[in-house]
Amino acid sequence: MNRILPVLTILLAIVVIWYAASVWMNAPWQTRLNERADLANVPFTEFVAQTWAQDKPVLPSPHQVAGEIWNATIALEPTSKRSLAYHGWITLSATLLGFAFGTSLGVLLAVAIIHNDASDRSLMPWIIASQTVPIVAVAPMLVVGLNAVGLTGLVPKALISMYLSFFPVVVGMVKGLRSPEGIQLDLLRTYDATPWQAFWKLRWPAAMPFLFASMKVGIAISLVGAIVAELSNTAGGGLGVRLLTGSVNGQTVQIWAALFIAAGLAAVLVAVVGRAEHMVNRRTGVRA
């Protein structure tokens, strides 16, 4: 209870501020609507209720977002193209595939970097430079280029997710694989351990905390990459498409509902990675 109470307090404060902000941001438009309808001297409580019930509010109220999430998930068949569950699954599929690609690429690059000085000097600058290019600029070019060679659907979105997610894994794993002290490496050499044995028995276990910390960042940013990719490929569906169509049509409630589903997916994915970290630590005897 001592842990839950602070969380509930913060959550309640956010909801109260959100409701107050909804009144403040929606009030100008509601005033115009009342003037057009010749409604004068509207009681304050009724006016507040009106700001919380607009069809296209500037800032939807919490209960409007919650209602939209319910109507677009529970109240619809998961296979319906209007369902957030349907679009969420598309985004999740691209996220997981891109995360798998990005993590694998990041680990392979990190291993090459720590075992080869030339790779360190040549690859790391380009790896860092790759993240200075705005993904919003890269995504449309990549999607169009891959479509031209026949790659459509999940793969282009997964590659954009990989582009974002491999970077934290590379940086974290390079740091982790280099974390063993020189005296530990010298001890293995006295035991006549091969570089391969030193890698698996010392470097790899030492890098595990760094790997999982990087994967938590990578899985979240992979979701961002999938959503950005969907903005460039509206035919494939996904939460990015819901955000785009909501923006074009002025459906702010739809936008906020899709944002909350995306945030929920990210939280669940990070929690899954954290759970995997806990299981690995327990099997290897590492204290978290």
Side-chain angles (χ1 to χ4, degrees), residues 27-262:
W29 177 241
Q30 189 59 48
T31 301
R32 290 191 198 130
L33 291 177
N34 289 343
E35 289 174 353
R36 292 177 185 177
D38 294 327
L39 295 175
N41 300 322
V42 177
F44 178 74
T45 54
E46 183 179 344
F47 182 80
V48 169
Q50 289 174 339
T51 61
W52 290 343
Q54 292 179 5
D55 292 333
K56 296 182 178 181
V58 176
L59 178 63
S61 57
H63 68 269
Q64 285 181 299
V65 176
E68 175 66 18
I69 292 174
W70 177 273
N71 293 332
T73 53
I74 306 301
L76 287 176
E77 290 292 331
T79 55
S80 171
K81 291 189 176 182
R82 295 177 55 202
S83 171
L84 280 174
Y86 170 82
H87 291 283
W89 172 250
I90 294 174
T91 301
L92 179 62
S93 301
T95 299
L96 293 176
L97 185 59
F99 175 67
F101 288 164
T103 301
S104 301
L105 177 62
V107 171
L108 291 175
L109 288 173
V111 171
I113 287 169
I114 64 126
H115 281 100
N116 189 287
D117 290 337
S119 296
D120 187 7
R121 292 192 296 269
S122 60
L123 288 177
M124 279 305 291
W126 288 106
I127 291 170
I128 294 170
S130 71
Q131 300 304 300
T132 64
V133 181
I135 189 62
V136 177
V138 173
M141 294 187 294
L142 185 59
V143 170
V144 172
L146 291 175
N147 285 343
V149 297
L151 282 176
T152 59
L154 198 63
V155 174
K157 293 187 285 187
L159 291 178
I160 294 170
S161 292
M162 179 192 73
Y163 174 80
L164 289 180
S165 64
F166 89 97
F167 179 72
V169 177
V170 172
V171 175
M173 281 300 288
V174 168
K175 180 71 174 176
L177 292 172
R178 286 176 173 166
S179 62
E181 298 180 4
I183 192 172
Q184 295 171 317
L185 295 169
D186 290 340
L187 179 62
L188 285 179
R189 292 191 191 100
T190 62
Y191 291 151
D192 199 27
T194 64
W196 187 252
Q197 289 173 321
F199 177 82
W200 282 113
K201 295 184 181 297
L202 179 59
R203 290 188 184 274
W204 183 257
M208 283 298 97
F210 297 88
L211 174 61
F212 281 105
S214 302
M215 287 171 62
K216 289 177 183 177
V217 178
I219 192 71
I221 204 169
S222 183
L223 179 66
V224 174
I227 292 174
V228 171
E230 289 163 354
L231 297 176
S232 306
N233 183 20
T234 57
L239 294 176
V241 174
R242 292 285 290 184
L243 292 171
L244 184 61
T245 55
S247 177
V248 170
N249 298 321
Q251 296 290 345
T252 52
V253 180
Q254 176 181 312
I255 294 172
W256 278 79
L259 285 174
F260 268 86
I261 293 295

